[in-house]
Amino acid sequence: MSTFFAPGRVNLIGEHTDYNGGFVFPCALDMGTTLTITSNSDRVLRFRSANMPEVVEVSIDEAFQPLPNRLWANYPLGCIALLSKKIGGLPCGYDMVFEGNVPQGAGLSSSASIEVVTAFAFNELLHAGLTRTQIAQLAQECEHRYAGVNCGIMDQFVSSWGKANHAIYLNCETLEFDYVPVRMDGISIVLTNSHSPHKLDAGTYNERVRECEQAVAMISKKLPIRRLAELTTDAFNKVEHTLTDPTIHRRARHVVSECERTRQAVRALQSGDIVTFGQLMNASHCSLRDDYEVTGHNLDLLAETAWQVEGVLGSRMTGGGFGGCTVSLVRNEHIPAFRRIVGQRYKDETGIDAEFYVAKIGNGVSEIQG
Ligand code: GLA
């Protein structure tokens, strides 16, 4: 029996930039998914979850097709399928139990933690020799092919490479990255779960991916680029007139400005300027609200209320958007008032109880018991 753990993540800034070849700045959480595996002689993959009732069985002698009805087991199945293909098949069946403590639908990458823990575990058990970056890439491919979401690399990458007390400044084009210490004396990263029923579904996410591709195609008539993140703000100003569709124009403006904000935010954090970092987080939220249109009423309410609370340095939506969480930087002595004021206003306006977590920045995937 072997046990593995992979974390969820919170992105501090750099949203919807990863699939545009831009920068992101996420950290791994101490919440995630634990996977316990034993081999079996039944020649089946048996998926159990401590969080879901159904047990899913798939024969290892059949082609690993995606399961119908968007079953959660598609995440691990897809990773095993892709890995098995690389190494020419599985030697036996396996019984797996998954147990997660990342709140689902909260935009904290519970699905990436399932994918990465599976890919890492099978890479170890089958001696497949993948690096952490290759594990992240395989998990991303699984998300595309088995969950139908054409996501970027951020979530899987940070779940793979995360480091306690550090954020990852990742160039999503080259996959080069730096660990940046997150030292903010007297300030905490507070996650607020909107428990909002309106999740970012695959359709809306993939629509944004397509809109960015359309922007690249329009701009390329004037200036050959492959990805929006190749444009500096100055370069964008010179070519933005090619974006004749106003929606596409706003989408591209978000990506270019968010890449710039991410660069500035990392510089600010490195020089200990948390005030500037917080202001850039607020500006990021506004851009995601007005230009990228992925926030929605409930996340706007959480962020905009937080901006008014004493001791809040910055607050924004984090992750894909619509439902899910905001991430806020809050001075420790103001956290109780923050919870009370934001929680009450949110309850009054939506009828929903928000939930608050003080984030701890954890490590990437590992074996915890061999
Ligand atoms: C989701 C995707 C990521 C990234 C974010 C938005 O979490 O899985 O790849 O695009 O949305 O920044």
Side-chain angles (χ1 to χ4, degrees):
M1 189 174 89
S2 311
T3 305
F4 301 84
F5 173 83
R9 64 96 189 93
V10 57
N11 189 20
L12 299 178
I13 195 162
E15 216 67 86
H16 288 279
T17 49
D18 58 353
Y19 52 85
N20 288 297
F23 289 98
V24 292
F25 196 48
C27 18
L29 294 170
D30 64 345
M31 301 184 269
T33 301
T34 303
L35 164 59
T36 303
I37 307 190
T38 42
S39 55
N40 66 43
S41 51
D42 311 341
R43 300 192 67 75
V44 294
L45 297 173
R46 193 170 288 120
F47 301 95
R48 283 194 178 83
S49 162
N51 314 80
M52 308 273 178
E54 72 270 357
V55 179
V56 179
E57 290 193 6
V58 177
S59 160
I60 65 166
D61 299 314
E62 286 165 23
F64 297 129
Q65 296 298 339
L67 304 162
N69 305 327
R70 297 182 172 271
L71 269 184
W72 69 271
N74 273 320
Y75 297 117
L77 176 65
C79 289
I80 298 168
L82 294 170
L83 199 67
S84 154
K85 199 164 163 215
K86 272 190 196 301
I87 60 166
L90 298 177
C92 61
Y94 293 92
D95 277 51
M96 289 159 268
V97 181
F98 293 84
E99 180 155 16
N101 62 355
V102 184
Q104 279 172 25
L108 301 177
S109 293
S110 58
S111 59
S113 73
I114 299 175
E115 291 157 355
V116 169
V117 79
T118 310
F120 184 90
F122 277 83
N123 184 49
E124 292 292 304
L125 295 176
L126 304 173
H127 307 289
L130 299 189
T131 63
R132 282 178 186 262
T133 296
Q134 288 167 330
I135 285 170
Q137 287 169 319
L138 183 128
Q140 180 194 20
E141 189 181 342
C142 163
E143 184 90 28
H144 289 195
R145 293 177 47 183
Y146 282 73
V149 181
N150 296 328
C151 65
I153 189 79
M154 168 170 72
D155 306 346
Q156 293 81 5
F157 198 93
V158 64
S159 185
S160 233
W161 278 105
K163 180 169 165 181
N165 303 318
H166 289 73
I168 294 185
Y169 183 36
L170 171 66
N171 178 334
C172 297
E173 184 64 29
T174 62
L175 300 187
E176 286 163 346
F177 69 97
D178 288 317
Y179 289 120
V180 179
V182 179
R183 263 189 247 105
M184 296 186 289
D185 285 342
I187 296 166
S188 294
I189 300 170
V190 182
L191 306 175
T192 306
N193 190 344
S194 67
H195 283 296
S196 172
H198 190 173
K199 287 187 215 141
L200 179 68
D201 58 25
T204 317
Y205 186 93
N206 293 345
E207 180 184 278
R208 291 294 178 277
V209 175
R210 270 197 309 277
E211 287 167 342
C212 291
E213 287 163 0
Q214 284 170 22
V216 168
M218 288 174 172
I219 292 169
S220 292
K221 290 185 189 141
K222 178 94 184 159
L223 180 74
I225 55 164
R226 285 179 43 251
R227 308 269 212 157
L228 282 176
E230 288 166 35
L231 296 170
T232 59
T233 307
D234 279 352
F236 179 71
N237 291 342
K238 290 195 185 106
V239 294
E240 64 181 326
H241 66 273
T242 59
L243 299 171
T244 45
D245 177 323
T247 302
I248 304 291
H249 177 248
R250 280 184 285 119
R251 304 296 188 248
R253 186 168 58 190
H254 164 73
V255 174
V256 172
S257 65
E258 184 75 354
C259 288
E260 183 57 38
R261 276 187 293 275
T262 307
R263 279 190 288 268
Q264 289 173 6
V266 173
R267 275 201 300 273
L269 185 67
Q270 283 169 324
S271 61
D273 183 357
I274 313 296
V275 170
T276 299
F277 192 92
Q279 286 164 351
L280 290 160
M281 288 173 75
N282 296 350
S284 165
H285 185 90
C286 293
S287 177
L288 288 156
R289 181 191 63 196
D290 303 334
D291 278 354
Y292 220 63
E293 295 177 286
V294 289
T295 55
H297 172 265
N298 291 7
L299 288 177
D300 288 341
L301 180 61
L302 287 178
E304 288 163 16
T305 308
W307 297 341
Q308 313 300 321
V309 177
E310 195 185 349
V312 173
L313 291 107
S315 184
R316 57 181 288 278
M317 60 151 267
T318 184
F322 291 111
C325 284
T326 57
V327 53
S328 310
L329 300 185
V330 189
R331 292 193 195 282
N332 291 341
E333 65 273 25
H334 293 281
I335 293 176
F338 171 81
R339 295 169 78 127
R340 203 179 53 247
I341 296 168
V342 175
Q344 190 60 55
R345 170 99 197 270
Y346 190 68
K347 175 86 178 176
D348 288 348
E349 286 210 17
T350 64
I352 303 171
D353 287 308
E355 212 177 331
F356 298 86
Y357 325 89
V358 174
K360 288 205 189 66
I361 306 180
N363 285 312
V365 62
S366 65
E367 180 163 4
I368 53 179
Q369 199 185 320

